[in-house]
């Protein structure tokens, strides 16, 4: 039977290579890391749960062009429980030029459901025949 010999492994200390010790964070570094992580989590939480600065996006429900001087627009505006919501409703012609404009206000209502829109019907006076009517933007007062 043939005997097989295996060379012994090279020893790192024999050839000048040393194993690198694993570095552990000091107790102070661990405390600093935990404090920084807690601060980041707190900042994210404050940012995520801050009060809304803009109302929930309003929706145009319907519009009808009555004649050259009038357009009827129905919009759904989400009421706020503490602040009045002001919105711009406008009519535009076929070239997207504004031909009718008004502002509407939905008063604050402590009993309002912020998840269901309040229907607001608006009659707009127009300077010429409108092609569409819609709610443009809303803000808190």
């Amino acid at each position: 039977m043939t005997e097989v010999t295996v060379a012994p492994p090279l020893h790192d200390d024999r050839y000048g290579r040393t194993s690198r010790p694993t570095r552990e964070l000091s107790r102070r570094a661990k405390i600093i890391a935990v404090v920084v992580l807690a601060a980041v989590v707190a900042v994210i939480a404050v940012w995520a749960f801050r009060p809304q600065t803009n109302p929930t996006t309003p929706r145009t429900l319907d519009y009808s062009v009555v004649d050259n001087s009038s357009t009827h627009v129905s919009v759904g505006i989400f009421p706020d429980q503490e602040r009045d919501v002001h919105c711009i409703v406008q009519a535009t012609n076929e070239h997207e030029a504004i031909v009718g404009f008004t502002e509407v206000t939905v008063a604050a209502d402590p009993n309002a459901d912020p998840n269901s829109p309040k229907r607001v019907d608006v009659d707009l006076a127009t300077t010429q025949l409108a092609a569409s009517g819609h709610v443009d933007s809303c803000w808190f007062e």
Side-chain angles (χ1 to χ4, degrees):
M1 172 189 267
T2 309
E3 192 173 316
V4 177
T5 59
V6 177
L10 299 177
H11 297 289
D12 288 338
D13 57 341
R14 181 175 179 184
Y15 296 101
R17 290 179 283 189
T18 58
S19 62
R20 295 183 181 185
T22 57
R23 291 186 63 188
E24 288 190 25
L25 291 176
S26 67
R27 179 179 167 97
R28 183 177 182 190
K30 288 178 185 178
I31 291 172
I32 290 172
V34 168
V35 169
V36 168
L37 181 64
V40 168
V41 168
V43 167
I44 290 171
V46 167
W47 180 78
F49 296 109
R50 73 185 187 282
Q52 270 187 295
T53 56
N54 293 325
T56 304
T57 305
R59 293 192 174 94
T60 301
L61 302 175
D62 187 28
Y63 73 90
S64 62
V65 177
V66 179
D67 56 24
N68 285 348
S69 62
S70 181
T71 299
H72 180 79
V73 182
S74 296
V75 297
I77 300 171
F78 293 88
D80 191 73
Q81 295 177 340
E82 300 170 0
R83 301 170 283 187
D84 293 346
V85 179
H86 296 276
C87 295
I88 294 174
V89 179
Q90 59 190 22
T92 56
N93 67 10
E94 60 188 18
H95 302 291
E96 295 297 321
I98 298 171
V99 295
F101 175 92
T102 192
E103 290 184 18
V104 295
T105 301
V106 175
D109 182 6
N111 299 322
D113 179 10
N115 297 320
S116 62
K118 180 177 179 182
R119 182 183 180 102
V120 178
D121 294 317
V122 179
D123 289 316
L124 286 172
T126 58
T127 57
Q128 56 181 272
L129 184 65
S132 71
H134 61 276
V135 60
D136 183 56
S137 62
C138 293
W139 64 93
F140 290 123
E141 190 65 28

